[in-house]
Amino acid sequence: MERQHNSVVRTPLNSVVVQRRSKSKSYRQSYRSCLGAASRLGLTPALTARRLNTSRRAPKSHNITDKVDPEQLTLLLKTEWKLSYVTPLYQFRHTQLKSYSRQLSAFIAAEKQQGLAVDAEGSQSSFRVSFSVVQGMTETADDAETVLIQIHSKPMFAKQDDPQKLVWSGWLACINGNPDYLSSLSKDFICLPLFGSSGPEVLTTLVKSWFQQMFDCCFGPLEISHTSLQWLVALWTNCHTESNIQHLRMIWTLPVTPPLQITYTVDAQDAWELWSSVRKDPEEESEGGEEVEEGGSIDLKEVMRFMQGLKNHFYRHFRLDLSAGSLQQVSTALGSAKYSGRIKVSSDGKNCSQSFSQDTFLLTHTRKDKCCTNIFFLSF
Amino acid sequence: MAAKQNLSEPSDSDSSSLTDQSVSGRSGNRSLRVAEKERRKNEAEDPFVLALKYFSDVGAGTPVYGNDEFETNLVLVERVAYSKGLSPEAISVMLEFAMSLRMGTGPCVRVLKCLIPATIVPQEPIVRAVVWLGVGKIPISTQVLFIKWVLTVFDMIDAKDQLRAIYGFIFSFVTEENLCPFICHLLYLLTRKESVRVFRVRKLLELQSKLGRQPFLLHLLSLYKVFCPELVTLSIPSRMKSGFRNYNTPWKSALIAVQKRNGSQLASSTSLPFTIKDKTSSRKRKHCHLELPVLSSLVNKQPQTELSSSRKVVPLVQLNSFAQLLENIHRIELPAQMGSLLGSSLALQYLDCVQDESALLRLNFWLGYALHEEFLFYGDGGAYQNSEEALQFLDKLLFTQHFLQEAFSSSEAFLYKFLSVWDGSLLRPQILGLLSNIPVVPSSQIGRLLFEPLMQLFFTSSLFFKCGLMECLNNMLLKWLTWHSVYALEDDLDISLNSHTSINMTLSGFKDSVMELVHFVGRLASVGLQLEGCHTLLLSFVLDFYETVCDTFLKYGLPLVVMPPPGVFYPALFSLDPVSVDRLAYIMYRYKVNLTSAKSQEKVTEQAFHISRQTFREFNHYLVVMVNCLWNSNMFRPGMGVQLGEEVLLKSNVPQYWTSFDLVHHPAFMSYAVDFHQRCWPGRKDMDLNSIKHSKPWSWYLEYLYSQGYDGLKQCVPAP
């Protein structure tokens, strides 16, 4: 179809020259770029179904502080983040963060005082917003750098010289994003599909609506699915030898009336032993044909066996089959994750640097998991 | 001044111009000259003209009290003003007189109150009057009155360029507290993008901090925001009334009366095309995914675009009419949120010309998000609880797609997922409507994406769903074929669906997809007709579909002929309803026309599009069956499609079973045969339908039948 059409294809997308394009193709073109390489909300490449990992690399201890500034890292730890997914941001520039800070503070001030205009410099605002880049919070070259947003404000009745306090923080990240998808996206877009927020809901809403108006993107709630939570149970337990997880706590709900919530706590050592027992033999693995590095990958089957073991144990004691219920929350000393899409990564004070790396690894891993969840979530 | 000179001229130069004329126009018509002279004389003596002359000439400081001359003249002007309205010149003179305060402030107010224009208002005297404001002797209340008057007659001012030129001067009056609301309104009417400046924004913000949140400041600022969103940040409360309060009361009724009397329809609409969206949020939903974003101008301006910012751009929000859109179509700035385009019919026009790939992607991201959140993730109940809203949203989407004659990719992607969870009844017309819009699906994927979920839905849903789906698939096919017939002309029958990715569709690929679709519908229809006992309604939708299919070659230029399966052909042939049989005959006739023309074309061009022998064989077979059955009374002969054992047929005890489906005995036509019999042989008591079969009555009968509107039969086998 159409020679002129082809000429458009050869023209780079961000070319300044406006191409006369055959009208008919306009939607379809964007459509395939949307569909061909899997938009989050579109279809995955070969119009395939979900991206559901059946096997993952086990976390290897590496010191994330080499990559990421520890000071910034502490900002991300020990806070419970509410997760959302975000469609690609249009015309977002990591170089413009200063100006974004000003504009967002002005926006918040304007929204707080409905019907009162504020100048776009945001100078009179009682909220101070700062955007910053968390360097190194990426896994692949295609991942966009993580952006941290903090909002400081003075308490209502504070004294003149009281310092402003951090009232809200959030971040946008892309860790281990789908490379096919990322590279297919036009240069006008930055993909930071995972948004975590912590602080008053009002501010979260304001930040989201500012992003929507500014970068024409959309935010949707991101739940951590049952399966993802089970993955976390296994992945965290798997870390026990390197960093004490202290306990493995799961919260289940059972569909009975009145609803029954069960908190199931397992001693770290017991959990680890159970986990080791369900792990495949390395020999058995190599029988499978693939040469896997030591402790290299964890299979979904192993996770399921582990969960079954935990459930069996519970049944033996309480005669309650947890299979009928759903896993709502998982927590260990390393962190916690909830079905509602809240995660937290903690740090262990004693073994600081080691646990930093471990935790952040988990954070990234968890995030990676979220990203996957994200993709999974959006593409089935 | 100019106006004044014009007015005073006749009296000053009356004699001289007369002599001029008599000199230059010696050969001119004498009577004309006399008439002219008469007119001038009358004019000079016209008390109104004299009154105006008085006001233009009266010296400063002339006392008002006890001044009878002034009084009579002013009363005269007032009378004219209230009855006919004042001419542009008169307004000019009176405004100058009033604002210059030549006779003090008392007359000034009185004059302002009677300044009712008959036609237009010239802008020069207004500019002069604004200058008089600056002199500062006029009391504030009078100044307010003047600005109110300007606002009232704003639409009647002949040109606004000079007023815009003194924007800064007018702006300086905002600091005057009492004038401020009115000045803001005037500025609102005069503001252009170039008038929005940082220092003006600062001034207004400063005022706001002094006066509090005043609607007039807010309105002006919100307009500034439209032009320069980077200069002012503002959130408009949903409760705020739109527009400025109506300031035109003193003149309004008089103005309307005068206009009515003059028969002029100078619509004085001081109501503003205000852009604040009236949010009538009756329902409060926590997350409303389906709300269209508000059309607003771009804040996030890129530094590199500043280079091109010398090229003036116009935000879409600023455009109010199609004419404006056309005028600015080369320099329209896309809105901050592309989704907002769907909300405005004007913007939709523009969407058709949007060339920007990223813009369409943005639109698709938003649309995909909204559809997914609402129908697939339903975070807060989704469409199942908000069906009214969902209905409106989908209707809007459908309207847009029909307007653009193209589907959005995100809605297509959404549909593929939604079909597998759809119950077949939620928002059925809308979903089927969207479905019929999807572009050609590659044949390798069409089965999994479309057919599997549709098949499940089809066999588990009601008759009405089945009919709806048939109609939807027919529309889908029609769109595909139309698309093909348009674009096949542009190039050598090679259709590339797309450029970016690997899905290139060749003609054969396209044919495969169409064939898949037709076969799929054939399967659905066969089983569906069986399930529903060959329901006439369903049969009618199925025949609709085949009316499209039989004409693919001639109507749409696609060298593809697919015959209906027996499961469709026979139920139609043996239908109890004559219309269905007739339509089948029409379809067979069209197949015949298509096939013959394909065949002849094949001979002429020797081009290698090939309609398989199998198709011809099928067609011939069907045609033989139909003709034998209906016309030749030759049913159940060996070698035909429907074969029954001789002994079974004998056992049925039907006499002359081979005639039982001819046009006389066919259950659908029996009533016609009876009617014909009665008309043909009115006297006969015993009815013998077989007698129609004799050659003469038979041809009469066919003629009779064809005259009943059964054109399909007629075309298939013309009357002898």
Side-chain angles (χ1 to χ4, degrees):
Chain A
M1 165 149 283
E2 295 121 23
R3 276 154 291 230
Q4 73 263 54
H5 180 55
N6 291 333
S7 74
V8 177
V9 181
R10 275 180 233 113
T11 314
L13 277 177
N14 45 0
S15 137
V16 194
V17 186
V18 176
Q19 289 283 335
R20 178 75 217 148
R21 186 161 59 193
S22 118
K23 181 240 153 187
S24 71
K25 293 278 82 59
S26 48
Y27 305 96
R28 221 158 256 143
Q29 243 181 359
S30 66
Y31 142 77
R32 293 297 166 181
S33 59
C34 183
L35 188 129
S39 97
R40 313 264 127 179
L41 296 163
L43 298 178
T44 38
L47 305 163
T48 50
R50 59 196 69 181
R51 175 174 161 191
L52 182 68
N53 290 11
T54 53
S55 162
R56 287 162 198 263
R57 222 157 26 85
K60 260 203 293 181
S61 177
H62 67 274
N63 205 337
I64 189 119
T65 43
D66 293 346
K67 268 166 73 185
V68 184
D69 177 18
E71 224 169 279
Q72 284 187 315
L73 212 50
T74 46
L75 295 171
L76 298 176
L77 297 177
K78 290 185 182 172
T79 309
E80 187 175 70
W81 302 105
K82 171 92 182 73
L83 301 177
S84 302
Y85 69 86
V86 193
T87 60
L89 310 178
Y90 178 65
Q91 300 286 23
F92 181 88
R93 296 282 174 267
H94 282 84
T95 50
Q96 299 281 307
L97 297 185
K98 269 220 178 87
S99 132
Y100 296 158
S101 305
R102 279 199 305 273
Q103 293 185 45
L104 181 54
S105 15
F107 180 80
I108 293 173
E111 287 288 330
K112 284 272 173 191
Q113 310 162 293
Q114 287 271 305
L116 207 57
V118 288
D119 81 81
E121 292 300 297
S123 47
Q124 349 139 284
S125 171
S126 56
F127 290 91
R128 187 169 58 79
V129 180
S130 67
F131 278 68
S132 53
V133 174
V134 184
Q135 292 283 352
M137 281 288 280
T138 52
E139 286 281 300
T140 66
D142 285 334
D143 292 343
E145 291 284 359
T146 298
V147 174
L148 179 70
I149 307 154
Q150 292 174 299
I151 301 177
H152 289 84
S153 174
K154 247 179 219 180
M156 192 80 100
F157 301 106
K159 276 178 248 154
Q160 197 69 53
D161 48 352
D162 274 354
Q164 288 190 318
K165 272 172 45 183
L166 180 68
V167 289
W168 185 93
S169 50
W171 42 259
L172 285 150
C174 176
I175 292 164
N176 254 343
N178 180 344
D180 293 340
Y181 179 65
L182 292 179
S183 57
S184 76
L185 212 53
S186 116
K187 287 279 168 284
D188 289 337
F189 293 92
I190 293 285
C191 193
L192 288 165
L194 188 63
F195 172 68
S197 64
S198 148
E201 190 63 28
V202 194
L203 284 174
T204 309
T205 316
L206 287 181
V207 171
K208 281 181 180 176
S209 63
W210 181 79
F211 267 93
Q212 276 164 15
Q213 288 170 30
M214 200 69 180
F215 307 109
D216 206 356
C217 58
C218 310
F219 288 78
L222 183 61
E223 289 101 16
I224 305 177
S225 73
H226 187 73
T227 318
S228 300
L229 287 174
Q230 292 182 332
W231 265 109
L232 281 175
V233 171
L235 289 172
W236 271 331
T237 309
N238 193 52
C239 296
H240 179 64
T241 45
E242 293 168 44
S243 171
N244 190 355
I245 62 167
Q246 288 174 16
H247 59 261
L248 171 65
R249 182 176 296 135
M250 291 163 286
I251 296 180
W252 296 76
T253 51
L254 290 186
V256 288
T257 41
L260 188 58
Q261 192 174 52
I262 295 165
T263 308
Y264 180 9
T265 313
V266 186
D267 178 74
Q269 196 54 40
D270 296 344
W272 166 250
E273 275 163 24
L274 179 63
W275 173 242
S276 319
S277 74
V278 300
R279 289 283 276 156
K280 269 187 284 185
D281 279 337
E283 284 169 31
E284 193 188 315
E285 275 181 33
S286 47
E287 265 173 43
E290 281 172 56
E291 195 59 51
V292 189
E293 50 187 296
E294 191 203 340
S297 85
I298 297 174
D299 195 77
L300 183 63
K301 280 186 204 139
E302 293 170 312
V303 176
M304 290 307 158
R305 280 207 294 270
F306 181 50
M307 290 310 294
Q308 201 50 53
L310 289 168
K311 285 176 192 169
N312 287 347
H313 179 73
F314 195 81
Y315 183 76
R316 216 168 296 130
H317 285 274
F318 302 102
R319 298 282 144 197
L320 268 175
D321 188 1
L322 291 175
S323 314
S326 63
L327 185 56
Q328 294 290 315
Q329 186 179 333
V330 182
S331 62
T332 70
L334 297 178
S336 72
K338 293 177 187 166
Y339 176 76
S340 58
R342 292 172 187 277
I343 58 157
K344 177 159 104 176
V345 172
S346 325
S347 111
D348 179 0
K350 276 177 270 171
N351 187 1
C352 216
S353 91
Q354 172 62 26
S355 106
F356 259 147
S357 87
Q358 191 58 63
D359 284 337
T360 336
F361 177 79
L362 270 169
L363 177 72
T364 54
H365 197 94
T366 316
R367 292 246 207 104
K368 172 184 160 192
D369 186 69
K370 289 306 117 31
C371 284
C372 297
T373 315
N374 192 1
I375 290 155
F376 152 70
F377 176 66
L378 295 164
S379 61
F380 73 93
Chain B
M1 269 298 112
K4 186 181 155 190
Q5 275 162 3
N6 281 342
L7 263 179
S8 48
E9 193 184 338
S11 48
D12 288 348
S13 56
D14 204 15
S15 53
S16 64
S17 71
L18 195 67
T19 49
D20 278 356
Q21 266 189 2
S22 58
V23 170
S24 63
R26 199 169 289 272
S27 60
N29 195 329
R30 196 183 152 78
S31 62
L32 198 72
R33 271 202 344 254
V34 172
E36 175 72 2
K37 193 178 171 188
E38 191 73 1
R39 199 183 63 79
R40 282 171 180 258
K41 200 175 160 196
N42 278 346
E43 211 168 65
E45 281 162 13
D46 182 354
F48 179 61
V49 176
L50 290 176
L52 287 183
K53 185 171 155 36
Y54 170 80
F55 286 113
S56 68
D57 291 348
V58 70
T62 314
V64 178
Y65 295 105
N67 187 340
D68 285 345
E69 195 185 7
F70 162 76
E71 189 60 30
T72 34
N73 282 329
L74 188 52
V75 167
L76 184 66
V77 171
E78 281 174 335
R79 198 169 345 113
V80 172
Y82 286 116
S83 59
K84 291 190 293 193
L86 297 177
S87 64
E89 298 81 22
I91 283 177
S92 196
V93 171
M94 295 312 290
L95 193 60
E96 178 66 21
F97 165 75
M99 297 304 282
S100 61
L101 294 186
R102 254 176 279 168
M103 293 178 78
T105 54
C108 174
V109 173
R110 224 175 124 186
V111 167
L112 278 177
K113 281 188 177 156
C114 74
L115 279 183
I116 294 155
T119 51
I120 54 160
V121 180
Q123 74 169 336
E124 288 87 1
I126 296 181
V127 172
R128 284 186 58 85
V130 172
V131 176
W132 280 115
L133 279 187
V135 173
K137 280 192 292 186
I138 306 173
I140 286 295
S141 62
T142 314
Q143 292 186 15
V144 169
L145 192 69
F146 166 70
I147 301 290
K148 278 183 175 181
W149 176 79
V150 176
L151 290 171
T152 311
V153 300
F154 188 82
D155 285 351
M156 304 167 86
I157 300 174
D158 55 358
K160 278 122 191 168
D161 53 319
Q162 292 184 27
L163 277 172
R164 289 205 178 102
I166 57 162
Y167 188 92
F169 187 70
I170 298 174
F171 190 90
S172 65
F173 290 104
V174 287
T175 45
E176 194 62 62
E177 205 165 315
N178 294 310
L179 270 182
C180 184
F182 310 98
I183 290 292
C184 281
H185 192 172
L186 185 58
L187 290 172
Y188 186 99
L189 296 172
L190 292 172
T191 301
R192 286 289 169 277
K193 192 178 167 86
E194 50 275 18
S195 26
V196 182
R197 297 286 171 77
V198 188
F199 60 88
R200 290 192 184 129
V201 172
R202 292 230 177 93
K203 190 87 213 163
L204 289 177
L205 290 175
E206 195 182 291
L207 269 174
Q208 183 188 246
S209 59
K210 210 162 71 188
L211 301 175
R213 56 191 75 184
Q214 298 293 347
F216 46 88
L217 285 174
L218 202 57
H219 285 310
L220 185 57
L221 279 165
S222 63
L223 184 67
Y224 279 21
K225 190 187 168 200
V226 167
F227 286 116
C228 297
E230 65 277 11
L231 289 183
V232 54
T233 310
L234 169 70
S235 159
I236 291 148
S238 48
R239 281 175 280 104
M240 198 171 89
K241 275 196 204 138
S242 59
F244 291 86
R245 254 172 284 144
N246 233 356
Y247 294 124
N248 50 11
T249 34
W251 296 273
K252 200 176 186 181
S253 53
L255 194 58
I256 290 171
V258 164
Q259 283 189 346
K260 208 180 240 172
R261 227 167 288 145
N262 290 355
S264 68
Q265 280 302 316
L266 259 172
S268 159
S269 58
T270 30
S271 64
L272 310 170
F274 205 63
T275 48
I276 293 176
K277 196 183 164 195
D278 196 22
K279 280 183 195 159
T280 44
S281 47
S282 49
R283 308 152 274 94
K284 279 265 173 177
R285 275 182 69 193
K286 208 175 169 193
H287 312 284
C288 188
H289 324 292
L290 296 185
E291 203 171 279
L292 297 178
V294 183
L295 199 60
S296 59
S297 38
L298 200 64
V299 190
N300 185 16
K301 301 239 165 80
Q302 287 311 300
Q304 69 260 31
T305 58
E306 265 158 32
L307 274 177
S308 58
S309 71
S310 52
R311 198 178 61 119
K312 276 189 217 161
V313 290
V314 179
L316 208 47
V317 202
Q318 267 311 103
L319 304 177
N320 295 309
S321 69
F322 189 67
Q324 281 179 316
L325 179 79
L326 281 185
E327 215 169 275
N328 297 296
I329 201 134
H330 56 291
R331 49 170 185 186
I332 285 175
E333 180 192 72
L334 287 167
Q337 286 167 280
M338 280 298 288
S340 56
L341 288 185
L342 296 202
S344 134
S345 55
L346 200 61
L348 219 51
Q349 308 270 1
Y350 183 60
L351 185 59
D352 209 28
C353 347
V354 169
Q355 304 270 324
D356 183 0
E357 185 79 7
S358 297
L360 295 168
L361 213 50
R362 277 156 69 197
L363 185 60
N364 272 315
F365 283 140
W366 167 79
L367 188 61
Y369 158 83
L371 289 171
H372 278 73
E373 280 296 329
E374 189 67 18
F375 296 95
L376 289 169
F377 306 155
Y378 27 83
D380 59 334
Y384 295 90
Q385 278 174 22
N386 320 292
S387 49
E388 186 50 40
E389 225 169 313
L391 181 88
Q392 282 172 5
F393 182 80
L394 291 186
D395 276 340
K396 186 157 272 171
L397 180 58
L398 269 174
F399 173 78
T400 310
Q401 293 194 349
H402 286 156
F403 181 81
L404 301 170
Q405 303 186 348
E406 194 145 13
F408 291 108
S409 55
S410 49
S411 84
E412 185 193 351
F414 155 76
L415 279 172
Y416 294 147
K417 294 179 202 170
F418 186 64
L419 283 184
S420 56
V421 294
W422 189 32
D423 62 0
S425 72
L426 178 82
L427 299 166
R428 184 196 296 157
Q430 284 73 26
I431 298 293
L432 288 179
L434 286 179
L435 192 63
S436 70
N437 283 337
I438 63 169
V440 187
V441 187
S443 59
S444 55
Q445 280 146 350
I446 197 168
R448 200 174 43 76
L449 290 175
L450 270 188
F451 297 164
E452 279 173 28
L454 285 181
M455 197 131 66
Q456 279 194 357
L457 283 166
F458 185 81
F459 291 130
T460 53
S461 303
S462 68
L463 171 72
F464 296 103
F465 178 85
K466 292 189 174 91
C467 295
L469 186 61
M470 280 295 150
E471 191 191 14
C472 158
L473 293 172
N474 185 25
N475 288 336
M476 189 191 289
L477 180 66
L478 276 173
K479 278 169 198 161
W480 290 9
L481 291 172
T482 312
W483 181 76
H484 163 81
S485 67
V486 172
Y487 294 108
L489 298 175
E490 287 188 7
D491 216 324
D492 295 332
L493 291 175
D494 184 32
I495 306 157
S496 70
L497 246 188
N498 127 45
S499 46
H500 284 241
T501 51
S502 51
I503 310 171
N504 270 331
M505 188 156 273
T506 57
L507 176 65
S508 72
F510 176 74
K511 258 167 79 175
D512 285 347
S513 292
V514 171
M515 201 140 70
E516 288 281 340
L517 179 65
V518 175
H519 283 314
F520 171 69
V521 175
R523 287 199 300 280
L524 281 192
S526 306
V527 185
L529 284 170
Q530 221 165 20
L531 282 177
E532 300 292 341
C534 298
H535 199 284
T536 316
L537 192 61
L538 181 58
L539 186 60
S540 156
F541 281 101
V542 171
L543 291 174
D544 278 345
F545 182 80
Y546 279 99
E547 272 184 22
T548 312
V549 173
C550 67
D551 253 345
T552 43
F553 179 68
L554 281 181
K555 255 193 186 161
Y556 304 98
L558 182 71
L560 176 76
V561 179
V562 185
M563 298 304 296
V568 170
F569 179 80
Y570 288 105
L573 183 62
F574 299 133
S575 161
L576 294 179
D577 155 41
V579 176
S580 302
V581 183
D582 178 65
R583 292 184 67 190
L584 181 70
Y586 172 75
I587 288 168
M588 290 308 289
Y589 164 70
R590 291 304 303 176
Y591 269 121
K592 190 175 97 183
V593 176
N594 273 268
L595 283 170
T596 32
S597 115
K599 190 120 198 170
S600 61
Q601 199 159 320
E602 207 169 6
K603 271 180 200 151
V604 172
T605 59
E606 291 179 15
Q607 218 192 359
F609 77 76
H610 189 68
I611 287 169
S612 78
R613 295 181 141 257
Q614 178 63 28
T615 310
F616 282 104
R617 213 175 296 137
E618 273 178 53
F619 169 77
N620 287 334
H621 174 76
Y622 280 143
L623 195 65
V624 165
V625 169
M626 192 165 78
V627 172
N628 270 345
C629 167
L630 293 177
W631 280 275
N632 296 347
S633 315
N634 238 344
M635 199 58 195
F636 306 116
R637 287 297 144 88
M640 286 181 50
V642 183
Q643 290 198 33
L644 285 173
E646 189 76 31
E647 59 279 14
V648 182
L649 287 166
L650 284 174
K651 232 192 250 172
S652 70
N653 283 331
V654 179
Q656 294 180 316
Y657 53 81
W658 53 90
T659 66
S660 47
F661 284 101
D662 61 21
L663 283 174
V664 176
H665 295 96
H666 193 296
F669 294 99
M670 180 85 91
S671 61
Y672 289 100
V674 171
D675 185 43
F676 176 79
H677 191 275
Q678 277 166 351
R679 288 184 191 205
C680 205
W681 301 284
R684 260 208 240 175
K685 281 275 155 57
D686 53 333
M687 188 168 292
D688 177 21
L689 288 181
N690 278 330
S691 57
I692 301 178
K693 303 290 271 300
H694 302 300
S695 69
K696 204 131 207 192
W698 175 247
S699 60
W700 291 342
Y701 176 63
L702 286 186
E703 231 166 86
Y704 161 75
L705 210 54
Y706 294 168
S707 72
Q708 301 295 310
Y710 294 113
D711 292 339
L713 294 171
K714 186 178 171 182
Q715 282 167 322
C716 199
V717 178

